[in-house]
Amino acid sequence: MTTPEISFEFFPPKNLEASFRLWDTVQSLAPLAPRFVSVTYGAGGTTRELTRDAVTTLHKNSGLKVAAHLTCVSATRQETLDIADQYAEAGITDIVALRGDPPKEQGRFTPTRDGFGSSVELIEALAAKGKFNLRVGAYPESHPEAASQQANVEWLKRKLDAGADEALTQFFFEPESFFRFRDACAKAGLDTDRITPGILPIENWKGVRRFAEACGTTIPAWLDEAFEKAARDDRCDLLATALCSELCTELLEGGVKKLHFYTLNRPELTRDVCHALGVTSKVRLENVA
């Protein structure tokens, strides 16, 4: 089995305690030499400033390539592109370009007046600047707002044609979900080497289950049973590590070369899974934020 290239996603801290947790997470995972790390954008654009602060701080102090999430929500086109230009001026040229989740009170996404109407419009505008390496989202199981799974494939093709360099998928629980999606993308003429599966180690099954329901991710019945039994024996972490390692192993055996981990700013399971896959420490993080 080939050792994968890895990347990690973090979310921006909202208080001092969370800032220390983020930095501890970075320190724990940086020695694994990820090809990049990304910092998320809250639903409705709620963490715009926090994301910008976290991205610039990590860029200056971590020695890692940092990708900033950027969305179409609650901002005009000019405001969004100004943020992108500020990143470029700071030496940050990796962006994860997303439509973004609307504010909770809004329900469905509605473009801001003079704002981008879709992720494709945002990608086209960013690509036209010629400054950025662009990553986008992809959905191996149907997006809650998609008409069909084929619509997900067609939408991803539009994103790649608009100038995106790589797609990072939503998480899933069984490798077949990714392989079916990859096959559909290949049939549509997409370069499947540009599609990286997103992996979510299960830190807390109840929380992850709620998240999966909201995202439209299929929840196998056997997972409920497995975590119910593991909880009785206080072995949830052991089960989570084994399941995630097995999922990643099957993906690698199926030809996947890159994995993107959603860390939730909790590094332990992600680090243990990476070690199980043969990803060993290569560098030390020396600077302090």
Side-chain angles (χ1 to χ4, degrees):
M1 184 178 68
T2 303
T3 302
E5 295 182 73
I6 57 169
S7 54
F8 303 125
E9 179 181 287
F10 308 130
F11 58 80
K14 295 184 179 181
N15 54 47
L16 183 60
E17 181 181 355
S19 295
F20 283 120
R21 172 171 286 281
L22 172 58
W23 189 249
D24 287 345
T25 299
V26 174
Q27 286 185 307
S28 180
L29 296 178
L32 300 178
R35 60 193 182 97
F36 72 93
V37 300
S38 67
V39 181
T40 65
Y41 218 62
T46 53
T47 66
R48 182 180 296 116
E49 298 300 325
L50 295 173
T51 296
R52 186 160 37 186
D53 290 345
V55 168
T56 53
T57 298
L58 289 178
H59 173 70
K60 290 177 181 178
N61 297 287
S62 71
L64 300 172
K65 178 181 286 188
V66 185
H69 284 219
L70 194 60
T71 77
C72 305
V73 178
S74 302
T76 66
R77 289 172 178 256
Q78 193 57 55
E79 288 170 340
T80 302
L81 294 178
D82 285 346
I83 293 173
D85 287 337
Q86 290 166 17
Y87 281 136
E89 290 170 6
I92 300 160
T93 56
D94 283 66
I95 288 179
V96 181
L98 307 166
R99 187 201 71 181
D101 297 323
K104 291 182 179 180
E105 66 275 8
Q106 184 173 303
R108 293 179 66 86
F109 173 78
T110 302
T112 300
R113 184 177 179 181
D114 296 325
F116 290 108
S118 69
S119 57
V120 171
E121 291 183 9
L122 173 59
I123 294 159
E124 288 174 338
L126 292 172
K129 288 181 173 291
K131 302 176 181 179
F132 301 107
N133 182 49
L134 300 174
R135 296 181 175 89
V136 297
Y139 295 85
E141 297 175 315
S142 191
H143 186 284
E145 297 178 23
S148 66
Q149 179 62 343
Q150 184 57 34
N152 281 322
V153 174
E154 293 169 357
W155 197 254
L156 176 57
K157 186 176 188 304
R158 290 183 63 190
K159 294 178 185 179
L160 296 173
D161 289 346
D165 300 284
E166 179 181 0
L168 308 172
T169 79
Q170 179 61 275
F171 70 92
F172 49 90
F173 295 118
E174 297 181 307
E176 291 78 15
S177 297
F178 177 79
F179 291 140
R180 284 192 294 268
F181 177 66
R182 187 179 66 178
D183 289 346
C185 288
K187 186 176 180 180
L190 279 66
D191 179 0
T192 57
D193 286 341
R194 296 164 66 187
I195 304 173
T196 300
I199 307 297
L200 178 62
I202 302 173
E203 288 280 351
N204 178 293
W205 172 237
K206 290 184 179 180
V208 168
R209 198 185 197 288
R210 287 194 298 270
F211 190 23
E213 289 175 342
C215 296
T217 301
T218 300
I219 304 170
W222 61 266
L223 267 178
D224 285 320
E225 298 171 3
F227 275 99
E228 182 179 348
K229 292 178 181 177
R232 290 199 295 265
D233 298 330
D234 195 24
R235 294 186 176 183
C236 287
D237 283 353
L238 183 63
L239 174 62
T241 303
L243 289 177
C244 191
S245 299
E246 181 179 8
L247 171 62
C248 293
T249 297
E250 292 189 38
L251 291 171
L252 296 175
E253 290 176 345
V256 168
K257 299 176 183 178
K258 301 173 183 175
L259 300 171
H260 183 66
F261 289 89
Y262 301 113
T263 71
L264 303 183
N265 291 17
R266 296 182 178 274
E268 293 82 6
L269 276 180
T270 296
R271 181 192 58 214
D272 291 346
V273 170
C274 287
H275 285 168
L277 299 175
V279 180
T280 56
S281 299
K282 299 180 180 67
V283 298
R284 291 184 59 189
L285 190 63
E286 297 178 351
N287 294 336
V288 178

